[in-house]
Amino acid sequence: MRIGVFGGDGFIGWPASLHLTNRGHEVVILDDLSRRQIDLELGVQSLTPIASIQERIKIWERISGHRIQFEQLNLATEFERLKQWFASYQPDCVIHLAQQRAAPYSMKSDRHKAYTVNNNVNATHNLLNAIVELEQDVHLVHLGTMGVYGYSDIGATIPEGYLPVQITNDDGSQHTQEILYPANPGSIYHMTKCLDQLMLAFYAKNDQLRLTDLHQGIVWGTQTEETRRHESLINRFDYDGDYGTVLNRFLVQAAINYPLTVHGTGGQTRAFIHIQDSVRCIELAVSNPPARGERTKIFNQMTEVHCVRELAELVAQLSGVSIDYVKNPRREAKENDLKVSNEKFLSLGLNPTTLSDGLLDELVEIARKHKARIDRTRIPAQSAWTKEIGDELRNIETIEQVRQRA
Ligand code: USQ
C-alpha cells in the first residue's frame, strides 16, 4: 500500500513508519517537526539522543533497503499543499498522528490551549476535507485516545467506541440504538480528540469515507524491533513534566534516584500499551479497513490496566527508589476502577506485550545509559489544570527541593 504518515517524526509515527516499510508498504512521512520545536520552547530534550529526520531516513535506507520520503508540511495550516500532495501521491491509506499529544502541555496557559485546539482540530478537518475534495477512496486511520471515555467509575466494561442504549419512545415502546460512548474529556488535549470523533462520524455518514479511530491508552517503552537496529534510529523518550508519560517517567526517576512523583494518592487507574504493540496495532488497523458506508471503525488500543500507585510500587521495588506522593496538578478523580474491552485487536491476532515481559529492564538500562542528559529540574509536573491548583503548587516544596536545599 501507499501510505502517508502524518506526524511520522514523532514518538509513535517514527517507529510506525519503520514497521510499515518493513511490512512491504511504501511510506511518506509528512511532519511539520513541531515536536522538536516544542522541545526547544520548553528547554528540554528527549532522554535518548534522536537524529534529524533526514539522518534517520538515510540510516534506515542503508540498513533495510527501504526508502521513506519526507515532506515538511503543517497539516493544520497548509491545506492547498495538502491537496496537491494527495493529488500527486494518490495514497491508499493515511495515518493521522499530527496532533499535539500532551495533556499537561495543553493546559499550560491560554496560548497552549489555543494552539492545541487550533492545531489538532484543523489538522483532522483538513485531512477529511481534502479526501472528499479530491474524491479519493483513502482509508484514514486516526490516533485517538482512551481518554475520550473519561475515567468515571461506572463498574461496566468500556466497549470499543459504541454504547448500546435503550430509549423509551413517546408511545412507551422501546427503541435500541448504538451511540458514540459519551465523551468525557479530562484536558484540552483530550477534548480535541473528542471533537475529532464527531468530525469522523460526520464524514463517515455524509461522504462514506473509510475511517478508523484508535483509542489508545498510555504508551510505555521506547524501542521497537526496527528502532533497535541502529543507534541513529532510536526513538524519542520523554521524561519531563509535560510530555513524559507516567511509567516512562518513573523509570527515568528511578535511574537517577529521584523520588517517584505520584500525583495525589496514585489511585488513578489507566489503560496501557507497549510501543511495540502500538505499531503492530496500527499495521493491523491499516490492513483491516472498514467498508465504504460503514460508521467509523473504533478499536481500543490498549493491553493492560494498572493504577499509578501500583506502578510506582513496582518501580520502587525494582530500584530501591522512594515514592513521593505530590500534590496533583490535575483535576481528576483520586481513585477509579477501569475495565476495557480490547477484543477487536486480540481477534486480529495481537499478542500483547505486558509489564511482566522483561522490557522494564531495557528501559532502566536506556535511562541509566543516557542519565547525563537528564535535567532534574524538568521532572516535576508544573502545568496546573486550574489557576487555583497552580497557586497551591507554587507554595509547596517537593522532597527533591528539600534535598537540594539540604
Ligand atoms: N501521573 C502521576 N505522576 C506523574 C505523571 C503522571 O501520578 O509523574 C498520573 C497522572 O496524574 C494521570 C496518570 O498518571 O492520572 C497518567 O498520566 P500520563 O501523563 O501518563 O498520561 P496522560 O496525560 O493521560 O496522556 C497520555 C498521552 C496521551 C494519551 C493518553 C492516553 O500523553 O497522548 O492520549 O496518555 S489516556 O491516559 O488513556 O487518555
Side-chain angles (χ1 to χ4, degrees), residues 119-130:
N119 182 71
N120 290 7
V121 173
N122 283 322
T124 302
H125 190 259
N126 281 348
L127 264 182
L128 295 161
N129 198 6

Side-chain angles (χ1 to χ4, degrees), residues 101-104 144-148 151 189-190 193 216-219 242-247 249-250 253 261-264 266 268 270-272 308 328-330 332 379 381 385:
R101 69 104 183 131
T145 174
M146 282 296 301
V148 296
Y151 295 102
Y189 151 73
H190 287 101
K193 296 284 188 181
Q216 183 165 256
I218 300 171
V219 180
D242 286 308
Y243 274 87
T245 50
V246 65
L247 179 55
R249 271 166 66 71
F250 286 171
Q253 292 168 10
T261 54
V262 171
H263 294 166
Q268 306 92 315
R270 298 288 183 269
F272 288 83
V308 168
N328 194 343
R330 307 184 184 203
E332 60 185 354
I379 288 181
W385 258 232

